[in-house]
Each structure stands twice: as C-alpha cells, then as structure tokens.
Coordinates of all heavy atoms in Angstrom, one line a residue:
M460 N -195.4 213.7 53.8 CA -196.5 214.4 53.2 C -195.9 215.5 52.4 O -195.0 216.3 52.9 CB -197.5 214.8 54.1 CG -198.7 215.5 53.5 SD -200.0 216.1 54.6 CE -199.8 215.3 56.1
E461 N -196.3 215.7 51.1 CA -195.8 216.8 50.4 C -197.0 217.8 50.1 O -198.1 217.3 49.9 CB -195.2 216.4 49.0 CG -193.9 215.6 49.2 CD -193.4 215.1 47.9 OE1 -193.0 216.0 47.1 OE2 -193.4 213.9 47.6
R462 N -196.8 219.1 50.1 CA -197.8 220.1 49.9 C -197.5 220.9 48.7 O -196.3 221.4 48.5 CB -197.9 221.0 51.1 CG -199.0 222.0 51.0 CD -199.1 222.8 52.3 NE -200.2 223.7 52.2 CZ -200.0 225.1 52.2 NH1 -198.7 225.5 52.2 NH2 -200.9 225.9 52.1
Y463 N -198.4 221.1 47.8 CA -198.3 221.8 46.6 C -199.4 222.9 46.6 O -200.6 222.6 46.7 CB -198.4 221.0 45.3 CG -197.3 220.0 45.2 CD1 -197.4 218.7 45.8 CD2 -196.1 220.3 44.5 CE1 -196.4 217.8 45.7 CE2 -195.2 219.3 44.5 CZ -195.2 218.1 45.0 OH -194.3 217.2 45.0
V464 N -199.1 224.1 46.4 CA -200.1 225.2 46.4 C -200.6 225.5 45.0 O -199.7 225.8 44.1 CB -199.5 226.5 47.1 CG1 -200.5 227.7 47.0 CG2 -199.0 226.2 48.5
L465 N -201.9 225.4 44.8 CA -202.5 225.7 43.5 C -202.9 227.2 43.3 O -202.9 227.7 42.3 CB -203.7 224.8 43.3 CG -203.5 223.3 43.3 CD1 -204.8 222.5 43.2 CD2 -202.7 223.0 42.1
A466 N -203.3 227.8 44.4 CA -203.6 229.2 44.4 C -203.4 229.7 45.8 O -203.6 229.1 46.8 CB -205.1 229.4 44.0
N467 N -202.9 231.0 45.9 CA -202.6 231.5 47.2 C -203.2 233.0 47.2 O -202.7 233.8 46.5 CB -201.1 231.6 47.4 CG -200.8 232.1 48.8 OD1 -201.6 232.0 49.7 ND2 -199.5 232.5 49.0
Q468 N -204.3 233.0 48.0 CA -205.0 234.4 48.1 C -205.4 235.0 46.8 O -205.3 236.1 46.6 CB -204.1 235.4 49.0 CG -203.8 234.8 50.3 CD -205.0 234.7 51.2 OE1 -205.9 235.5 51.2 NE2 -205.1 233.6 51.9
A469 N -205.9 234.2 45.9 CA -206.3 234.6 44.6 C -207.6 235.4 44.7 O -208.5 235.0 45.5 CB -206.6 233.4 43.6
S470 N -207.6 236.5 44.1 CA -208.8 237.4 44.3 C -209.6 237.6 42.9 O -210.4 238.5 42.9 CB -208.4 238.7 44.8 OG -207.5 239.3 44.1
A471 N -209.2 236.9 41.9 CA -209.9 237.0 40.6 C -210.2 235.6 40.0 O -209.5 234.7 40.4 CB -209.0 237.8 39.6
I472 N -211.2 235.6 39.2 CA -211.6 234.3 38.6 C -210.6 234.0 37.5 O -209.9 234.8 36.9 CB -213.0 234.3 38.0 CG1 -213.2 235.3 36.9 CG2 -214.0 234.5 39.1 CD1 -214.6 235.2 36.2
G473 N -210.5 232.7 37.1 CA -209.7 232.2 36.1 C -208.7 231.0 36.5 O -208.6 230.7 37.7
A474 N -208.2 230.3 35.5 CA -207.4 229.2 35.8 C -206.0 229.7 36.4 O -205.4 230.6 35.8 CB -207.1 228.4 34.5
Q475 N -205.5 229.0 37.4 CA -204.2 229.3 38.0 C -203.2 228.6 37.2 O -203.4 227.7 36.5 CB -204.3 229.0 39.5 CG -205.4 229.6 40.2 CD -205.4 231.1 40.2 OE1 -204.4 231.8 40.7 NE2 -206.4 231.7 39.6
T476 N -201.9 228.9 37.5 CA -200.8 228.2 36.9 C -200.8 226.7 37.3 O -201.0 226.4 38.5 CB -199.5 228.8 37.3 OG1 -199.5 230.2 36.9 CG2 -198.3 228.1 36.7
A477 N -200.6 225.9 36.4 CA -200.6 224.4 36.6 C -199.3 224.0 37.4 O -198.2 224.7 37.1 CB -200.7 223.6 35.3
I478 N -199.4 223.0 38.2 CA -198.2 222.5 38.8 C -198.0 221.1 38.4 O -199.0 220.4 38.0 CB -198.3 222.6 40.4 CG1 -199.5 221.8 40.9 CG2 -198.4 224.0 40.9 CD1 -199.1 220.6 41.6
S479 N -196.8 220.6 38.4 CA -196.5 219.3 38.0 C -195.9 218.6 39.3 O -194.9 219.1 39.9 CB -195.4 219.3 36.9 OG -195.0 218.0 36.6
V480 N -196.4 217.4 39.5 CA -195.9 216.6 40.7 C -194.8 215.7 40.1 O -195.0 215.1 39.1 CB -197.0 215.8 41.3 CG1 -196.5 215.0 42.4 CG2 -198.1 216.8 41.8
P481 N -193.6 215.6 40.8 CA -192.6 214.7 40.3 C -193.1 213.3 40.2 O -193.8 212.7 41.0 CB -191.5 214.7 41.5 CG -191.8 216.1 42.2 CD -193.3 216.3 42.1
L482 N -192.7 212.6 39.1 CA -193.2 211.3 38.8 C -192.7 210.3 39.8 O -193.4 209.3 40.0 CB -192.7 210.9 37.4 CG -193.4 211.5 36.2 CD1 -192.8 211.1 34.9 CD2 -194.9 211.3 36.2
T483 N -191.6 210.5 40.5 CA -191.2 209.5 41.5 C -192.2 209.4 42.6 O -192.4 208.4 43.2 CB -189.8 209.9 42.0 OG1 -189.9 211.3 42.5 CG2 -188.7 209.8 41.0
T484 N -192.9 210.5 42.9 CA -193.9 210.5 43.9 C -195.2 209.8 43.4 O -195.8 209.1 44.2 CB -194.3 212.0 44.2 OG1 -193.2 212.7 44.7 CG2 -195.4 212.0 45.3
L485 N -195.4 209.9 42.1 CA -196.6 209.3 41.6 C -196.5 207.8 41.2 O -197.5 207.1 41.0 CB -197.0 210.0 40.3 CG -197.3 211.5 40.5 CD1 -197.6 212.1 39.1 CD2 -198.5 211.7 41.4
E486 N -195.3 207.2 41.2 CA -195.2 205.8 40.7 C -195.7 204.8 41.7 O -196.0 203.7 41.3 CB -193.7 205.5 40.4 CG -193.2 206.3 39.2 CD -191.7 206.2 39.0 OE1 -191.0 205.9 39.9 OE2 -191.3 206.7 37.9
D487 N -195.9 205.2 43.0 CA -196.4 204.3 44.0 C -197.9 204.1 43.8 O -198.6 205.1 43.8 CB -196.1 204.9 45.4 CG -196.6 204.0 46.5 OD1 -197.4 203.0 46.2 OD2 -196.2 204.2 47.6
P488 N -198.4 202.9 43.5 CA -199.9 202.8 43.3 C -200.7 203.1 44.5 O -202.0 203.3 44.4 CB -200.0 201.3 43.0 CG -198.8 200.6 43.6 CD -197.7 201.7 43.6
G489 N -200.1 203.3 45.7 CA -200.9 203.7 46.8 C -201.1 205.2 47.0 O -201.5 205.7 48.1
V490 N -200.7 206.0 46.0 CA -200.7 207.5 46.1 C -202.1 208.0 46.3 O -203.1 207.4 45.7 CB -200.0 208.2 45.0 CG1 -200.9 208.5 43.8 CG2 -199.3 209.4 45.4
L491 N -202.3 208.9 47.2 CA -203.6 209.5 47.4 C -203.5 211.0 47.5 O -202.6 211.5 48.2 CB -204.2 209.0 48.7 CG -205.6 209.5 49.0 CD1 -206.6 209.0 48.0 CD2 -206.0 209.0 50.4
R492 N -204.2 211.7 46.7 CA -204.1 213.2 46.7 C -205.4 213.8 47.4 O -206.5 213.3 47.2 CB -204.1 213.7 45.3 CG -202.9 213.3 44.6 CD -202.9 214.0 43.2 NE -201.6 213.7 42.6 CZ -201.2 214.3 41.4 NH1 -202.0 215.2 40.9 NH2 -200.1 214.0 40.9
S493 N -205.1 214.8 48.2 CA -206.2 215.4 48.9 C -206.2 216.9 48.4 O -205.2 217.6 48.3 CB -205.9 215.4 50.4 OG -206.9 216.3 51.1
Y494 N -207.4 217.3 47.9 CA -207.6 218.7 47.4 C -208.4 219.5 48.4 O -209.5 219.1 48.8 CB -208.3 218.6 46.0 CG -207.5 217.8 45.0 CD1 -207.8 216.5 44.9 CD2 -206.6 218.3 44.1 CE1 -207.2 215.7 43.9 CE2 -205.9 217.6 43.2 CZ -206.3 216.3 43.1 OH -205.6 215.5 42.2
Q495 N -207.9 220.6 48.8 CA -208.7 221.4 49.8 C -208.6 222.9 49.3 O -207.6 223.4 48.9 CB -208.0 221.4 51.1 CG -208.8 222.1 52.2 CD -208.3 222.1 53.6 OE1 -207.3 221.4 53.8 NE2 -208.9 222.7 54.5
A496 N -209.9 223.5 49.4 CA -210.0 224.9 49.0 C -210.5 225.6 50.3 O -211.3 225.0 51.0 CB -210.9 225.2 47.8
S497 N -210.1 226.8 50.5 CA -210.7 227.6 51.6 C -210.8 229.1 51.2 O -210.1 229.5 50.3 CB -209.8 227.5 52.8 OG -208.5 227.9 52.6
V498 N -211.7 229.8 51.8 CA -211.8 231.2 51.7 C -211.5 232.0 53.0 O -211.8 231.4 54.0 CB -213.2 231.7 51.1 CG1 -213.4 231.3 49.7 CG2 -214.3 231.2 52.0
S499 N -210.9 233.1 52.8 CA -210.7 234.0 54.0 C -211.7 235.1 54.0 O -212.3 235.4 52.9 CB -209.2 234.4 54.0 OG -208.9 235.2 52.9
T500 N -211.8 235.8 55.0 CA -212.6 237.0 55.2 C -214.1 236.8 54.8 O -214.7 237.7 54.4 CB -212.1 238.2 54.3 OG1 -212.2 237.9 52.9 CG2 -210.6 238.6 54.7
G501 N -214.6 235.6 55.0 CA -216.0 235.3 54.8 C -216.5 235.4 53.4 O -217.7 235.6 53.2
G502 N -215.7 235.3 52.5 CA -216.1 235.4 51.0 C -216.7 234.1 50.5 O -216.8 233.1 51.2
S503 N -217.1 234.1 49.3 CA -217.7 232.9 48.6 C -216.9 232.7 47.4 O -216.3 233.6 46.7 CB -219.2 233.2 48.2 OG -219.9 233.4 49.3
A504 N -216.7 231.4 47.0 CA -216.0 231.0 45.8 C -216.4 229.7 45.3 O -216.8 228.8 46.1 CB -214.5 231.1 46.1
T505 N -216.2 229.5 44.0 CA -216.3 228.2 43.4 C -215.0 227.8 42.7 O -214.5 228.6 41.9 CB -217.5 228.1 42.3 OG1 -218.7 228.5 43.0 CG2 -217.6 226.7 41.7
V506 N -214.4 226.7 43.1 CA -213.1 226.3 42.6 C -213.2 224.9 41.9 O -213.7 224.0 42.5 CB -212.1 226.3 43.7 CG1 -210.7 225.9 43.1 CG2 -212.0 227.6 44.4
K507 N -212.8 224.8 40.7 CA -212.7 223.6 40.0 C -211.3 223.1 40.1 O -210.4 223.8 39.8 CB -213.1 223.7 38.5 CG -214.6 224.0 38.3 CD -214.9 224.0 36.8 CE -216.4 224.2 36.6 NZ -216.8 224.2 35.3
V508 N -211.1 221.8 40.5 CA -209.8 221.2 40.5 C -209.7 220.4 39.2 O -210.5 219.6 38.9 CB -209.6 220.3 41.7 CG1 -208.3 219.6 41.7 CG2 -209.8 221.0 43.0
Q509 N -208.7 220.9 38.4 CA -208.6 220.3 37.0 C -207.2 219.6 36.9 O -206.2 219.9 37.6 CB -208.7 221.3 36.0 CG -210.1 222.0 36.0 CD -210.3 223.1 35.0 OE1 -209.4 223.9 34.8 NE2 -211.5 223.1 34.4
A510 N -207.2 218.5 36.0 CA -206.0 217.8 35.8 C -205.8 217.3 34.4 O -206.8 217.3 33.7 CB -206.0 216.5 36.8
T511 N -204.6 217.0 34.0 CA -204.2 216.5 32.7 C -202.9 215.9 32.8 O -202.1 216.1 33.6 CB -204.2 217.8 31.7 OG1 -203.9 217.2 30.4 CG2 -203.1 218.8 32.1
N512 N -202.6 215.0 31.7 CA -201.3 214.4 31.6 C -200.5 215.1 30.5 O -199.3 214.9 30.4 CB -201.4 213.0 31.3 CG -201.8 212.2 32.5 OD1 -201.4 212.5 33.6 ND2 -202.6 211.1 32.4
D513 N -201.1 216.0 29.7 CA -200.4 216.6 28.6 C -200.3 218.2 28.7 O -199.8 218.8 27.9 CB -201.0 216.3 27.2 CG -202.5 216.8 27.1 OD1 -203.0 217.5 27.9 OD2 -203.1 216.4 26.1
N514 N -200.9 218.7 29.8 CA -200.8 220.1 30.1 C -201.6 220.9 29.0 O -201.4 222.1 28.8 CB -199.4 220.7 30.2 CG -199.4 221.9 31.1 OD1 -200.3 222.3 31.8 ND2 -198.2 222.7 31.0
K515 N -202.6 220.3 28.4 CA -203.4 220.9 27.4 C -204.9 220.6 27.5 O -205.7 221.5 27.5 CB -203.0 220.5 26.0 CG -201.5 220.9 25.6 CD -201.2 220.4 24.2 CE -199.7 220.7 23.9 NZ -199.2 220.1 22.7
S516 N -205.2 219.4 27.6 CA -206.6 218.9 27.7 C -207.0 218.7 29.1 O -206.7 217.6 29.7 CB -206.8 217.6 26.9 OG -206.3 217.8 25.5
W517 N -207.7 219.7 29.7 CA -208.0 219.6 31.1 C -209.4 219.0 31.4 O -210.3 219.2 30.8 CB -208.0 221.1 31.7 CG -206.7 221.7 31.6 CD1 -206.1 222.4 30.6 CD2 -205.6 221.5 32.6 NE1 -204.8 222.8 30.9 CE2 -204.5 222.2 32.1 CE3 -205.6 220.9 33.8 CZ2 -203.3 222.3 32.8 CZ3 -204.4 220.9 34.5 CH2 -203.2 221.6 34.0
L518 N -209.3 218.1 32.4 CA -210.5 217.4 33.0 C -210.8 218.0 34.3 O -209.9 218.3 35.1 CB -210.3 216.0 33.1 CG -209.9 215.2 31.9 CD1 -209.4 213.8 32.3 CD2 -211.0 215.1 30.9
T519 N -212.1 218.2 34.6 CA -212.5 218.6 36.0 C -212.6 217.4 36.9 O -213.5 216.6 36.7 CB -213.8 219.5 36.0 OG1 -213.6 220.6 35.2 CG2 -214.2 219.9 37.4
L520 N -211.8 217.3 37.9 CA -211.8 216.2 38.9 C -212.9 216.5 39.9 O -213.6 215.5 40.4 CB -210.5 216.1 39.6 CG -209.3 215.8 38.8 CD1 -208.1 215.7 39.7 CD2 -209.5 214.6 37.9
G521 N -213.2 217.7 40.2 CA -214.2 218.0 41.2 C -214.4 219.5 41.4 O -213.5 220.3 40.9
T522 N -215.6 219.9 41.8 CA -215.9 221.3 42.1 C -216.1 221.5 43.6 O -216.9 220.8 44.2 CB -217.1 221.7 41.3 OG1 -216.8 221.4 39.8 CG2 -217.4 223.2 41.4
I523 N -215.5 222.5 44.1 CA -215.6 222.9 45.5 C -216.3 224.2 45.6 O -215.8 225.2 45.0 CB -214.2 222.9 46.2 CG1 -213.5 221.5 46.1 CG2 -214.4 223.3 47.7 CD1 -212.1 221.6 46.6
T524 N -217.4 224.2 46.3 CA -218.2 225.5 46.4 C -218.1 226.0 47.9 O -218.4 225.2 48.8 CB -219.7 225.3 46.1 OG1 -219.7 224.8 44.7 CG2 -220.5 226.6 46.2
L525 N -217.6 227.2 48.0 CA -217.4 227.7 49.4 C -218.3 228.9 49.6 O -218.5 229.7 48.8 CB -215.9 228.1 49.5 CG -214.9 227.0 49.3 CD1 -213.5 227.5 49.1 CD2 -214.9 226.0 50.4
T526 N -218.8 229.0 50.8 CA -219.7 230.1 51.2 C -219.2 230.6 52.6 O -218.4 230.0 53.3 CB -221.1 229.6 51.4 OG1 -221.2 228.7 52.4 CG2 -221.6 229.0 50.0
P527 N -219.8 231.7 53.1 CA -219.4 232.2 54.4 C -219.7 231.1 55.5 O -219.1 231.1 56.6 CB -220.3 233.4 54.7 CG -220.4 234.0 53.2 CD -220.6 232.8 52.4
S528 N -220.6 230.2 55.3 CA -220.9 229.2 56.2 C -220.1 227.9 56.0 O -220.0 227.0 56.9 CB -222.4 228.8 56.3 OG -222.8 228.4 55.1
T529 N -219.5 227.7 54.8 CA -218.6 226.6 54.5 C -217.3 227.2 54.0 O -217.1 227.4 52.8 CB -219.2 225.7 53.4 OG1 -220.5 225.3 53.8 CG2 -218.4 224.5 53.2
L530 N -216.4 227.5 54.9 CA -215.1 228.2 54.6 C -214.1 227.3 54.0 O -213.1 227.8 53.4 CB -214.6 229.0 55.8 CG -215.5 230.1 56.4 CD1 -214.9 230.6 57.7 CD2 -215.7 231.2 55.4
S531 N -214.2 226.0 54.2 CA -213.2 225.0 53.7 C -213.9 223.7 53.4 O -214.9 223.3 54.1 CB -212.2 224.8 54.8 OG -211.3 223.9 54.4
D532 N -213.5 223.2 52.3 CA -214.0 221.9 51.8 C -213.0 221.2 50.9 O -212.0 221.8 50.5 CB -215.4 222.1 51.1 CG -216.2 220.8 51.1 OD1 -215.8 219.8 51.6 OD2 -217.3 220.8 50.5
G533 N -213.2 220.0 50.6 CA -212.3 219.3 49.7 C -212.7 217.9 49.4 O -213.8 217.4 49.7
F534 N -211.8 217.1 48.7 CA -212.0 215.7 48.4 C -210.7 215.1 48.1 O -209.7 215.7 48.0 CB -213.0 215.7 47.1 CG -212.4 216.2 45.9 CD1 -211.7 215.5 44.9 CD2 -212.6 217.6 45.5 CE1 -211.2 216.0 43.8 CE2 -212.1 218.2 44.4 CZ -211.3 217.3 43.5
S535 N -210.7 213.8 47.9 CA -209.5 213.1 47.6 C -209.7 212.2 46.4 O -210.7 211.9 45.9 CB -209.0 212.2 48.8 OG -210.0 211.2 49.0
S536 N -208.5 211.9 45.8 CA -208.5 211.0 44.6 C -207.2 210.2 44.6 O -206.2 210.6 45.0 CB -208.5 211.9 43.3 OG -208.3 211.3 42.2
A537 N -207.4 209.0 44.0 CA -206.2 208.1 44.0 C -205.6 208.0 42.6 O -204.8 207.2 42.3 CB -206.6 206.7 44.4
V538 N -206.0 208.9 41.7 CA -205.5 208.9 40.3 C -204.3 209.9 40.2 O -204.5 211.1 40.6 CB -206.6 209.4 39.4 CG1 -206.1 209.4 37.9 CG2 -207.8 208.4 39.5
P539 N -203.2 209.4 39.8 CA -202.0 210.3 39.8 C -201.8 211.1 38.5 O -201.1 210.7 37.6 CB -200.8 209.3 39.9 CG -201.4 208.0 39.3 CD -202.9 208.0 39.5
W540 N -202.5 212.2 38.3 CA -202.3 213.0 37.2 C -201.0 213.8 37.2 O -200.5 214.1 38.3 CB -203.5 214.1 37.1 CG -204.8 213.4 36.9 CD1 -205.7 213.0 37.8 CD2 -205.4 213.1 35.6 NE1 -206.8 212.5 37.3 CE2 -206.6 212.5 35.9 CE3 -205.0 213.2 34.3 CZ2 -207.5 212.0 34.9 CZ3 -205.8 212.7 33.3 CH2 -207.0 212.2 33.6
I541 N -200.4 214.1 36.1 CA -199.1 214.7 36.1 C -199.2 216.2 36.4 O -198.5 216.8 37.1 CB -198.4 214.5 34.7 CG1 -198.0 213.0 34.6 CG2 -197.1 215.3 34.7 CD1 -197.5 212.7 33.2
F542 N -200.2 216.9 35.7 CA -200.5 218.3 36.0 C -201.8 218.6 36.6 O -202.8 217.9 36.3 CB -200.5 219.1 34.6 CG -199.2 218.9 33.9 CD1 -199.0 218.0 32.9 CD2 -198.1 219.8 34.2 CE1 -197.9 217.9 32.1 CE2 -196.9 219.7 33.5 CZ -196.8 218.7 32.4
T543 N -201.8 219.5 37.5 CA -203.1 219.9 38.3 C -203.1 221.4 38.4 O -202.1 222.1 38.5 CB -203.1 219.3 39.7 OG1 -202.8 217.8 39.6 CG2 -204.4 219.4 40.4
R544 N -204.3 221.9 38.4 CA -204.5 223.3 38.6 C -205.8 223.7 39.2 O -206.7 222.8 39.3 CB -204.4 224.1 37.3 CG -205.7 223.9 36.4 CD -205.5 224.6 35.1 NE -206.7 224.5 34.3 CZ -206.8 224.9 33.0 NH1 -205.8 225.5 32.4 NH2 -207.9 224.7 32.3
A545 N -205.9 224.8 39.9 CA -207.1 225.4 40.4 C -207.7 226.3 39.3 O -207.0 227.1 38.8 CB -207.0 226.1 41.7
N546 N -209.0 226.2 39.1 CA -209.7 227.1 38.2 C -210.8 227.7 39.0 O -211.8 227.1 39.3 CB -210.2 226.3 36.9 CG -210.8 227.3 35.9 OD1 -210.8 228.5 36.1 ND2 -211.1 226.8 34.7
I547 N -210.7 229.0 39.3 CA -211.6 229.7 40.1 C -212.7 230.3 39.2 O -212.4 231.1 38.3 CB -210.9 230.8 40.9 CG1 -209.8 230.2 41.8 CG2 -212.0 231.6 41.7 CD1 -208.9 231.2 42.4
T548 N -213.9 229.7 39.3 CA -215.0 230.1 38.3 C -215.9 231.2 38.9 O -216.7 231.8 38.2 CB -215.7 228.9 37.9 OG1 -216.3 228.3 39.0 CG2 -214.8 227.9 37.2
A549 N -215.9 231.4 40.2 CA -216.7 232.5 40.8 C -216.0 232.9 42.1 O -215.4 232.0 42.8 CB -218.1 232.0 41.1
I550 N -216.1 234.2 42.4 CA -215.5 234.7 43.7 C -216.2 235.9 44.1 O -216.5 236.8 43.2 CB -214.0 234.8 43.6 CG1 -213.4 235.1 44.9 CG2 -213.7 235.9 42.6 CD1 -211.8 235.1 44.9
S551 N -216.5 236.1 45.4 CA -217.1 237.4 45.8 C -216.8 237.5 47.3 O -216.7 236.6 48.1 CB -218.6 237.4 45.5 OG -219.3 236.4 46.3
G552 N -216.6 238.8 47.7 CA -216.5 239.1 49.1 C -215.2 238.6 49.9 O -215.2 238.7 51.1
G553 N -214.2 238.1 49.2 CA -213.0 237.7 50.0 C -212.0 237.1 49.0 O -212.1 237.2 47.8
N554 N -210.9 236.4 49.5 CA -209.9 235.8 48.8 C -210.0 234.3 48.9 O -210.5 233.8 49.8 CB -208.5 236.2 49.3 CG -208.3 237.6 49.1 OD1 -208.7 238.3 48.2 ND2 -207.6 238.3 50.1
V555 N -209.5 233.6 47.8 CA -209.5 232.1 47.8 C -208.1 231.6 48.0 O -207.1 232.1 47.5 CB -210.1 231.7 46.5 CG1 -209.9 230.1 46.4 CG2 -211.5 232.1 46.3
D556 N -208.0 230.6 48.8 CA -206.7 229.9 49.0 C -206.9 228.4 48.8 O -207.5 227.8 49.6 CB -206.2 230.2 50.5 CG -204.8 229.6 50.7 OD1 -204.1 229.3 49.8 OD2 -204.5 229.5 51.9
A557 N -206.5 227.9 47.7 CA -206.6 226.5 47.3 C -205.3 225.8 47.5 O -204.3 226.2 47.0 CB -207.2 226.3 45.9
N558 N -205.3 224.7 48.2 CA -204.1 223.9 48.4 C -204.3 222.5 48.0 O -205.4 221.9 48.1 CB -203.8 223.9 49.9 CG -203.5 225.3 50.4 OD1 -202.6 226.0 49.9 ND2 -204.3 225.7 51.4
M559 N -203.3 221.8 47.6 CA -203.3 220.4 47.3 C -202.2 219.7 48.1 O -201.1 220.1 48.1 CB -203.1 220.1 45.9 CG -203.1 218.6 45.5 SD -202.9 218.3 43.7 CE -201.2 218.7 43.5
T560 N -202.6 218.6 48.8 CA -201.6 217.8 49.5 C -201.6 216.4 49.0 O -202.6 215.8 48.7 CB -202.1 217.8 51.1 OG1 -202.2 219.1 51.5 CG2 -201.0 217.1 51.9
I561 N -200.4 215.9 48.9 CA -200.2 214.5 48.4 C -199.4 213.7 49.5 O -198.5 214.2 50.0 CB -199.4 214.5 47.1 CG1 -200.1 215.3 46.0 CG2 -199.2 213.1 46.6 CD1 -199.3 215.6 44.8
W562 N -199.9 212.5 49.7 CA -199.2 211.6 50.6 C -199.4 210.1 50.1 O -200.3 209.9 49.3 CB -199.7 211.7 52.0 CG -201.0 211.2 52.3 CD1 -201.4 209.9 52.7 CD2 -202.2 211.9 52.2 NE1 -202.7 209.9 52.9 CE2 -203.3 211.1 52.6 CE3 -202.6 213.2 51.9 CZ2 -204.6 211.5 52.6 CZ3 -203.9 213.6 51.9 CH2 -204.9 212.7 52.3
T563 N -198.4 209.3 50.4 CA -198.6 207.9 50.0 C -199.0 207.0 51.2 O -198.4 207.3 52.4 CB -197.2 207.3 49.5 OG1 -196.2 208.2 49.8 CG2 -197.3 207.0 48.1
R564 N -199.9 206.1 51.0 CA -200.2 205.2 52.1 C -199.2 204.2 52.4 O -198.4 203.8 51.5 CB -201.5 204.5 51.7 CG -202.7 205.4 51.6 CD -203.9 204.7 51.3 NE -203.9 204.2 49.9 CZ -205.0 204.0 49.1 NH1 -206.2 204.2 49.6 NH2 -204.9 203.7 47.9
G565 N -199.1 203.8 53.6 CA -198.1 202.7 53.9 C -198.4 201.4 53.2 O -199.5 201.1 52.9
K566 N -197.4 200.6 53.0 CA -197.6 199.4 52.2 C -197.7 198.2 53.2 O -197.3 198.3 54.3 CB -196.4 199.1 51.3 CG -196.4 200.2 50.2 CD -195.2 199.9 49.3 CE -195.2 201.0 48.2 NZ -194.1 200.8 47.3

C-alpha cells in the first residue's frame, strides 16, 4: 500500500499542490484509490478531491464534508488519474488533514 498526502494540517481554503502517482502503479487495472479527509480539533471543513490527466483541467471526483460530529470520511475510486489534489472550499474551527491511499487488489 502506498500513501500520498494531499494536504497536511491545512488551515486555509484553496487548492493544494497536485501530486502525481507513478504510472507503474497505475498500469494495473485492479488499482483502487481510497481518499480520506479528516479534521483535528473539532473543526469543520469541505474538501473536494479533484483529478486530471493534464494538470490543467480539473474534475471533482467527490466532495467530503466534515463536521465536529463527522471528523473523518472518504470514498474510493477505481479510475487511475495521473494528477490528484485536495481543494479545501470551506474551513472553520480547526485544521484539515486530507490523505490519499492507493493499493492494488490481488489478481
């Protein structure tokens, strides 16, 4: 399992730096990506997970809304985008920590 950090204790809204996953990892058709966002200190945040293959035209894969009663949430996708980023569109009362984990299913 490989772990890529999209945002680490981000405290302001805006798109974070995009990350690129090595193509050798993505060539397996069984690749599954798990996107997880969490907030610390009981804050609230809205995080859009965005992806692109050209690092220019961003698509929103999903939106994760976090509150003091939902400190962590996420989703998975089997689509191997080359570039991925976290776009924090709202934040209040704490810091956001968004992580992406990629693993390949057994054949």
